């Protein structure tokens, strides 16, 4: 059974073929924030708000619009979800026939009104929305400050209206071209200028952008759903291309000015499917986003010579040397990632780590003093129990380091140090890409701590970082085995109980695999340390009971094979997970999922992927509401 809606089959295979234009649009769907723009004769505000609503899945910590009316640019932008912007527009009417809009997922600067897009120059003649990252913004900011420009926000984007203003001598297209020639990084831009109310400019490099062609009106957007209610005719803009839109024309050129002839693409799919980038569910999309999420989290933290560099975390060296205990505190999946972090820190930084569930930690009597570091792990940064644990630890004198995915979240704001996972917004309730990136973050933190404490040498760090680099490709290899995993899901989806077993890190992974299955398929499941089975739980293993046996740890492989034999002897149906070099497992189990060869400590972020997919396809077979499982919420802000 295909999980992709019918009309998407071609698109998704295109998407995997990196050469197609359609592919690029959706491949880049992971690059968060959303932009939209309109030029025509209708009220731009309504169209922009509708488009932003369709893009909110790309980011949702602030939103804004800018519209030209009577020779001036009117702007409204607000921290919070789109609803906040809509409410404030009820009091402050903004209308006109040309405009741009943005929904943001903060990267540079916390979510706030002033950091929201659109950004304008000091005279409010130019407005810009941007999706992506301007890597050289600091030097540009300095240069522009020296020229007399005053920055209001902490964003990288604000350099753009200033640069356009600086180069503007009456020709907006020329000013934009000159601006682009100064930029390093990724960007999809929408630009309007009050002296050119009949023009909307769009530019793309490494961030998605489409142009919608209407009758007497034209559109720009980060993703097709934003404009699909108005037109199905789109141009898929490629890297280093820009487009000049008027009511009646779309001119596409390279950023060096060479004209580009493009074919119009006729969109045949429906809006809801398009938001998910062609996948049937956000969960499946997010599983597939993991190679990129891992790369995005890692690449800003590694120097050219392969050394870990998390200096922006500003972990004080004397303090790190002094620490004699770490508490690793989180809930659910984030806690499971924390368990892997515990193993890293103990092994490399040589500090004892107590991992605890936040709701338990709060009511225990933790031994905390000024030599204790607490690491809290939280995708949302808003989990009530984790936040309360953090406050308790601070009260008792510990410093707190947060590993979180949401810039400016409560946990990020209240912690002493913050490591952001750059996984992009996670929409599905079941956490997937947050988990893998949390492990990457914790591994890097452990290496940095180990270097500061002198418990590791640089050569070893480079070797481990080298292996972390390769994770992304290895995850991709697993993603290509989706069909095998679907077959396995078909075998077990009618079961009432499914067990997950493992030893060492594989036990921690078993906890995560089991949780994923429970929450989305509603099948009862238990994760056990494999060596503990015979102390009670083995009594539950019966003929055909499915057991997922994880055996990725070389050091525990033989022991694990013995445990698998124990459950096989009771008639269990066993699916093994092992490294592709460890083939003996084939002799014992019913099915096996192989993962590429990797050092033991880094097996988890690869081996979790087939477990996520297994849970997904089991739930799909059972017809469950995968993205919104019953009784659960994405952000648990109550105790
Ligand atoms: C499971 C899941 C939850 C969260 C937990 C913590 O798939 O998503 O177990 O991991 O509620 O949430 P955060 O990470 O936002 O603190």
């Amino acid at each position: 059974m295909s999980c992709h809606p019918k009309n998407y089959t071609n698109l998704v295979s295109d998407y995997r073929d990196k050469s197609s234009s359609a592919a690029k649009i959706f491949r880049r769907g992971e690059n968060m924030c959303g932009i939209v723009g309109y030029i025509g004769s209708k009220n731009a505000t309504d169209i922009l708000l509708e488009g932003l609503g369709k893009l909110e899945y790309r980011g949702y910590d602030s939103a804004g619009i800018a519209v030209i009316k009577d020779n001036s640019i009117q702007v409204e932008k607000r921290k919070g979800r789109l609803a906040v912007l809509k409410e404030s527009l009820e009091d402050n009417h903004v209308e006109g026939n040309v405009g741009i809009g943005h929904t943001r997922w903060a990267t540079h600067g916390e979510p706030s009104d002033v950091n929201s897009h659109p950004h304008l120059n000091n005279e409010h003649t130019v407005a810009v929305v941007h999706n992506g990252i301007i890597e050289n913004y600091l030097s540009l900011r300095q240069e522009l400050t020296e020229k007399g420009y005053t920055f209001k926000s902490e964003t990288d984007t604000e350099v753009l209206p200033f640069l356009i203003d600086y180069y503007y001598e009456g020709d907006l297209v020329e000013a934009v071209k000159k601006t682009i020639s100064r930029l390093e990084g990724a960007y999809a831009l929408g630009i309007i200028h009050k002296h050119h109310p009949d023009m909307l400019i769009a530019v793309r490099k490494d961030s998605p952008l489409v142009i919608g062609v209407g009758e007497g009106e034209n559109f720009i957007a980060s993703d097709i759903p934003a404009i699909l209610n108005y037109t199905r005719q789109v141009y898929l803009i490629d890297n280093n291309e820009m487009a000049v839109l008027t009511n009646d024309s779309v001119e596409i050129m390279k950023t060096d000015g060479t004209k580009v002839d493009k074919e119009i693409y006729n969109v045949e799919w429906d809006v809801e499917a398009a938001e998910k980038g062609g996948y049937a569910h956000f969960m499946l999309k997010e599983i597939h986003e993991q190679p990129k999420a891992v790369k995005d989290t890692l690449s800003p933290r590694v120097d050219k010579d392969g050394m870990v560099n998390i200096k922006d975390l500003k972990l004080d060296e004397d303090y790190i040397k002094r620490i004699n205990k770490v508490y690793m505190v989180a809930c659910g999946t984030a806690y499971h990632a924390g368990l892997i972090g515990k193993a890293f820190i103990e092994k490399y930084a040589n500090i004892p780590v107590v991992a605890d569930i936040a709701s338990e930690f709060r009511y225990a009597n933790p031994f905390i003093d000024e030599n204790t570091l607490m690491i809290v792990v939280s995708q949302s940064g808003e989990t009530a129990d984790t936040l309360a644990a953090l406050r308790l630890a601070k009260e008792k004198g510990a410093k707190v380091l947060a590993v979180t995915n949401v810039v400016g979240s409560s946990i990020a704001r209240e912690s002493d140090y913050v490591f952001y996972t750059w996984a992009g917004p996670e929409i599905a309730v079941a956490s997937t890409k947050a988990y893998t990136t949390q492990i990457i973050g914790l591994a890097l933190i452990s290496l940095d701590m180990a270097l500061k404490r002198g418990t590791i040498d640089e050569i070893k760090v480079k070797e481990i970082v080298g292996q972390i680099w390769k994770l992304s490709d290895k995850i991709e290899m697993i993603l290509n085995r989706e069909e095998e995993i679907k077959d396995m899901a078909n075998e077990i989806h009618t079961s009432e109980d499914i067990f997950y077993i493992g030893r060492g890190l594989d036990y921690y992974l078993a906890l995560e695999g089991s949780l994923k299955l429970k929450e989305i398929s509603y099948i009862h499941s238990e994760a056990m340390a494999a060596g503990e089975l015979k102390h009670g739980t083995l009594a539950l293993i019966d003929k055909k009971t499915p057991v997922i046996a994880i055996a990725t740890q070389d050091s525990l492989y033989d022991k694990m094979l013995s445990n698998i034999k124990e459950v096989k002897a009771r008639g269990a149906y066993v699916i093994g997970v092992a490294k592709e070099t460890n083939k003996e497992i084939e002799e014992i189990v019913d099915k096996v999922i192989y993962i590429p060869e990797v050092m033991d400590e880094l097996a988890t972020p690869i081996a979790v992927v087939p477990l996520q997919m297994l849970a997904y396809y089991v739930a799909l077979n059972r017809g469950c509401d995968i993205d919104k499982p019953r009784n659960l919420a994405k952000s648990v802000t109550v105790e």
Side-chain angles (χ1 to χ4, degrees):
M1 179 187 358
S2 163
C3 63
H4 304 299
K6 204 159 163 261
N7 294 337
Y8 265 72
T9 317
N10 290 341
L11 179 67
V12 171
S13 48
D14 270 4
Y15 156 84
R16 291 187 177 139
D17 162 12
K18 295 172 194 163
S19 62
S20 99
S21 295
K24 283 172 204 147
I25 296 296
F26 287 94
R27 237 194 129 61
R28 290 284 164 190
E30 303 99 337
N31 192 342
M32 303 324 288
C33 291
I35 68 171
V36 63
Y38 174 76
I39 186 161
S41 52
K42 297 192 182 115
N43 179 4
T45 303
D46 295 341
I47 292 170
L48 296 175
L49 290 178
E50 187 182 330
L52 291 179
K54 298 282 187 300
L55 294 176
E56 232 188 348
Y57 75 93
R58 302 177 59 80
Y60 40 74
D61 61 38
S62 42
I65 60 168
V67 171
I68 302 181
K69 170 101 196 271
D70 298 337
N71 256 342
S72 85
I73 297 183
Q74 303 172 9
V75 192
E76 195 65 25
K77 46 189 197 170
R78 287 281 172 263
K79 173 186 166 182
R81 299 195 76 133
L82 189 57
V84 180
L85 175 69
K86 282 185 179 162
E87 205 174 300
S88 88
L89 279 165
E90 279 168 19
D91 302 332
N92 310 303
H93 244 52
V94 167
E95 49 180 40
N97 305 122
V98 54
I100 49 179
H102 188 269
T103 175
R104 179 168 187 249
W105 177 257
T107 54
H108 291 71
E110 64 171 23
S112 66
D113 290 353
V114 71
N115 285 339
S116 308
H117 297 216
H119 288 283
L120 286 87
N121 59 334
N122 295 148
E123 286 75 32
H124 280 208
T125 49
V126 192
V128 178
V129 285
H130 166 217
N131 167 27
I133 290 173
I134 306 299
E135 283 161 7
N136 60 333
Y137 85 101
L138 279 175
S139 60
L140 291 172
R141 197 175 163 114
Q142 190 177 343
E143 178 188 324
L144 288 158
T145 306
E146 281 160 16
K147 292 187 191 336
Y149 289 96
T150 311
F151 285 83
K152 292 195 191 108
S153 80
E154 300 159 280
T155 64
D156 52 336
T157 303
E158 203 178 0
V159 297
L160 298 169
F162 289 152
L163 274 175
I164 296 170
D165 176 80
Y166 176 71
Y167 288 120
Y168 180 73
E169 288 172 344
D171 184 337
L172 182 58
V173 176
E174 270 315 302
V176 171
K177 277 195 218 155
K178 285 184 180 146
T179 298
I180 296 163
S181 71
R182 302 291 316 278
L183 305 181
E184 288 166 24
Y187 41 86
L189 308 176
I191 302 158
I192 54 173
H193 194 294
K194 81 169 196 174
H195 298 322
H196 302 266
D198 52 355
M199 191 184 273
L200 166 61
I201 296 186
V203 189
R204 172 187 177 179
K205 180 173 172 270
D206 285 336
S207 286
L209 183 68
V210 296
I211 308 276
V213 182
E215 292 205 0
E217 59 185 2
N218 290 306
F219 309 80
I220 65 169
S222 297
D223 204 351
I224 293 168
I227 52 177
L228 214 47
N229 278 345
Y230 296 94
T231 179
R232 291 187 165 266
Q233 307 282 299
V234 299
Y235 287 116
L236 304 172
I237 301 302
D238 281 305
N239 274 343
N240 301 312
E241 288 180 354
M242 62 188 275
V244 180
L245 287 70
T246 66
N247 288 11
D248 304 307
S249 67
V250 176
E251 193 188 348
I252 303 171
M253 62 193 92
K254 295 255 173 224
T255 40
D256 65 7
T258 334
K259 197 171 173 316
V260 173
D261 277 324
K262 236 179 222 305
E263 265 181 43
I264 286 228
Y265 180 70
N266 189 31
V267 182
E268 286 166 3
W269 351 290
D270 60 274
V271 172
E272 202 206 327
E275 279 171 1
K276 294 176 192 140
Y279 292 98
H281 296 95
F282 280 111
M283 182 181 177
L284 190 61
K285 174 172 179 270
E286 287 160 9
I287 289 173
H288 279 268
E289 282 172 350
Q290 288 177 109
K292 170 146 175 30
V294 164
K295 235 183 233 167
D296 286 351
T297 301
L298 179 65
S299 49
R301 276 77 184 230
V302 177
D303 280 343
K304 285 201 175 73
D305 63 355
M307 266 311 276
V308 58
N309 180 348
I310 49 172
K311 290 199 186 87
D312 57 331
L313 202 61
K314 297 193 182 75
L315 276 180
D316 173 34
E317 186 153 347
D318 289 336
Y319 169 63
I320 294 299
K321 281 186 178 145
R322 223 173 50 226
I323 294 170
N324 55 25
K325 188 189 317 117
V326 174
Y327 275 104
M328 181 77 70
V329 178
C331 302
T333 291
Y335 167 69
H336 298 155
L339 289 169
I340 311 292
K342 163 186 159 76
F344 263 100
I345 294 172
E346 288 182 337
K347 174 155 185 176
Y348 293 115
N350 208 15
I351 315 173
V353 182
V354 178
D356 207 352
I357 295 163
S359 55
E360 289 296 311
F361 175 87
R362 293 177 62 178
Y363 302 106
N365 285 312
F367 297 96
I368 293 176
D369 60 25
E370 65 283 359
N371 294 328
T372 308
L373 170 68
M374 175 188 257
I375 302 182
V376 288
V377 188
S378 175
Q379 188 285 129
S380 63
E382 301 294 345
T383 301
D385 282 317
T386 311
L387 189 57
L390 171 167
R391 287 176 182 155
L392 178 72
K394 285 191 77 171
E395 242 170 61
K396 293 191 169 216
K399 284 206 191 301
V400 178
L401 188 171
V403 175
T404 183
N405 197 36
V406 180
V407 176
S409 56
S410 305
I411 287 177
R413 275 186 280 116
E414 294 195 27
S415 297
D416 300 285
Y417 311 105
V418 186
F419 181 103
Y420 286 113
T421 49
W422 296 126
E426 200 179 52
I427 310 288
V429 165
S431 186
T432 53
K433 58 180 180 169
Y435 173 81
T436 32
T437 53
Q438 282 158 358
I439 293 175
I440 305 304
L442 290 165
L444 295 176
I445 290 165
S446 78
L447 295 177
D448 185 67
M449 286 167 74
L451 277 168
K452 290 193 164 78
R453 291 167 67 88
T455 51
I456 199 168
D457 61 34
E458 292 199 356
I459 296 172
K460 183 72 187 164
V461 171
K462 284 186 187 172
E463 185 195 320
I464 300 169
V465 169
Q467 292 234 9
I468 301 178
W469 265 121
K470 292 187 185 143
L471 285 177
S472 179
D473 287 346
K474 292 181 181 178
I475 293 173
E476 196 81 60
M477 285 180 206
I478 293 284
L479 290 171
N480 291 333
R481 302 204 187 136
E482 207 160 342
E483 290 304 316
E484 273 173 58
I485 293 161
K486 271 189 213 173
D487 290 345
M488 293 176 195
N490 287 341
E491 298 285 327
I492 61 171
H493 76 273
T494 54
S495 309
E496 286 179 5
D497 303 284
I498 299 183
F499 291 82
Y500 287 70
I501 59 171
R503 301 181 78 114
L505 293 188
D506 285 339
Y507 167 50
Y508 299 155
L509 177 57
L511 291 167
E512 175 57 11
S514 170
L515 177 65
K516 221 71 322 167
L517 182 87
K518 277 187 273 207
E519 65 182 319
I520 59 168
S521 76
Y522 317 146
I523 296 178
H524 169 258
S525 171
E526 232 181 283
M528 290 294 303
E532 184 68 7
L533 267 180
K534 54 181 153 319
H535 299 287
T537 309
L538 196 57
L540 294 176
I541 307 294
D542 200 357
K543 249 177 132 208
K544 299 271 174 268
T545 309
V547 174
I548 317 301
I550 310 166
T552 69
Q553 303 293 296
D554 289 339
S555 56
L556 294 162
Y557 185 63
D558 291 337
K559 298 262 177 241
M560 197 52 210
L561 292 188
S562 305
N563 295 132
I564 296 175
K565 284 178 190 157
E566 283 167 10
V567 292
K568 268 314 288 176
R570 274 79 191 173
Y573 175 82
V574 180
I575 297 177
V577 181
K579 289 184 193 160
E580 61 195 3
T581 41
N582 287 337
K583 292 271 195 277
E584 305 93 297
I585 195 168
E586 266 177 36
E587 308 295 319
I588 323 173
V589 300
D590 295 274
K591 292 266 168 70
V592 58
I593 306 167
Y594 284 119
I595 64 161
E597 187 54 39
V598 66
M599 65 191 284
D600 278 6
E601 293 92 315
L602 292 174
T604 322
I606 307 174
V608 73
V609 177
L611 301 186
Q612 295 164 344
M613 287 201 286
L614 190 68
Y616 174 82
Y617 282 109
V618 167
L620 192 72
N621 281 345
R622 292 166 70 90
C624 299
D625 186 355
I626 293 181
D627 283 337
K628 293 196 179 93
R630 68 186 182 201
N631 308 339
L632 300 177
K634 184 67 187 160
S635 192
V636 187
T637 52
V638 290
E639 216 190 304

